[in-house]
Amino acid sequence: MNEAVIVCDRLGVTLGGMKVLDGLSMTVYKGDFLAVLGPNGGGKTTLLRVILGLEQPSSGTVTVFGARPGHAPGRIGYVPQRLFFDRDFPISVEEVVLMGRLPRRRLIQRYGRIDRDRAHEAIETVGLARLKHKRIGTLSGGELQRALIARALAGEPELLLLDEPTASVDPDMKTTVYDLLDRLKERHTIVLVTHDTGTVGHSVSRVACLNCTLDMHGPASSLGTASLERVYGHPVEVVLHEHERHDSKPDDLHA
């Protein structure tokens, strides 16, 4: 039987008197590449925050690697949707990626050779070796997202949580980011949240539709119009692009 990495049982979260998640139950297994699909405001980021231990459930339970959220930071890599920072701040790509080693360091302990080796390996993995000494604020949107993925990888995580990793990336760079994730799924369990149906392709092992409540599905090919209409709350039309029809995957969404 596959090892359960994340288990949510009747999870509920209420923020400001409003239910954001309601009765959510799901299990993410080792080796899964789960895409959580849903509209903005549907609770996707809140779900990741609960898994990270940054938000407390109002009801139900959550375990991550068999323990309460927040008890295994060294085993989880997180890529946020947005990074707010001063683009003129003099910090390099290499220095940002090294921050991914912090959960494995003691307080005020200096980075060692192993830390730098792992950071360099992560930079190589995401294809930014030639930019490792550049100031982080000079990177394009796609390059910045790859740097944030490298930061997560530097900590040698078993689980990767990604919050809308292509939200601020131009269409041409989206392919680069998802090609990278397609390679990373061989070594990591991945949970990807997105509202973009065009990113749910053949590389994703399972799909979950989230809009306060959750519908679990198998491969992306099992995601039909009825499921999308339930999660988005209005009629939709799934369009398959001609060159992808034999994959039977939803590539675009129209109201």
Side-chain angles (χ1 to χ4, degrees), residues 5-182:
V5 176
I6 302 169
V7 179
C8 299
D9 183 20
R10 293 167 292 180
L11 170 66
V13 175
T14 301
L15 300 175
M18 180 179 296
K19 279 188 177 181
V20 180
L21 299 176
D22 185 19
L24 185 153
S25 293
M26 74 172 190
T27 302
V28 178
Y29 297 98
K30 184 176 181 179
D32 265 350
F33 187 169
L34 174 68
V36 181
L37 179 69
N40 289 332
K44 302 186 303 298
T45 296
T46 298
L47 175 60
L48 291 190
R49 288 178 58 81
V50 170
I51 294 169
L52 289 165
L54 301 176
E55 202 72 64
Q56 296 302 310
S58 305
S59 60
T61 61
V62 182
T63 60
V64 183
F65 295 110
R68 286 187 298 125
H71 282 67
R75 303 176 73 179
I76 302 173
Y78 172 56
V79 180
Q81 180 177 354
R82 296 182 181 88
L83 182 65
F84 298 100
F85 66 101
D86 182 353
R87 286 188 169 269
D88 292 325
F89 191 78
I91 186 171
S92 69
V93 171
E94 181 181 29
E95 290 168 323
V96 169
V97 174
L98 272 168
M99 292 178 183
R101 298 293 299 175
L102 290 176
R104 296 184 175 273
R105 315 305 299 157
R106 293 192 299 272
L107 188 63
I108 71 171
Q109 183 181 13
R110 291 185 177 182
Y111 294 120
R113 180 176 177 178
I114 293 177
D115 298 318
R116 296 190 181 279
D117 286 347
R118 296 298 175 269
H120 293 162
E121 289 170 7
I123 291 170
E124 289 277 357
T125 297
V126 303
L128 291 181
R130 64 184 179 84
L131 302 178
K132 68 180 181 180
H133 297 305
K134 288 197 69 173
R135 195 174 73 243
I136 193 74
T138 65
L139 300 186
S140 69
E143 290 166 345
L144 177 59
Q145 283 305 105
R146 282 188 284 158
L148 295 180
I149 294 172
R151 182 180 66 174
L153 293 176
E156 302 175 271
E158 299 167 50
L159 170 65
L160 281 175
L161 304 177
L162 301 109
D163 191 357
E164 302 277 9
T166 60
S168 58
V169 176
D170 62 66
D172 290 338
M173 289 303 297
K174 282 186 179 184
T175 301
T176 302
V177 173
Y178 283 100
D179 284 347
L180 170 61
L181 295 181
D182 201 32

Side-chain angles (χ1 to χ4, degrees), residues 179-215:
D179 284 347
L180 170 61
L181 295 181
D182 201 32
R183 299 197 307 271
L184 293 179
K185 73 177 183 180
E186 301 300 325
R187 304 193 306 270
H188 303 275
T189 302
I190 301 175
V191 176
L192 161 74
V193 302
T194 182
H195 68 276
D196 183 0
T197 59
T199 65
V200 182
H202 64 278
S203 61
V204 175
S205 60
R206 290 194 296 156
V207 177
C209 292
L210 177 62
N211 191 358
C212 189
T213 58
L214 188 81
D215 284 337

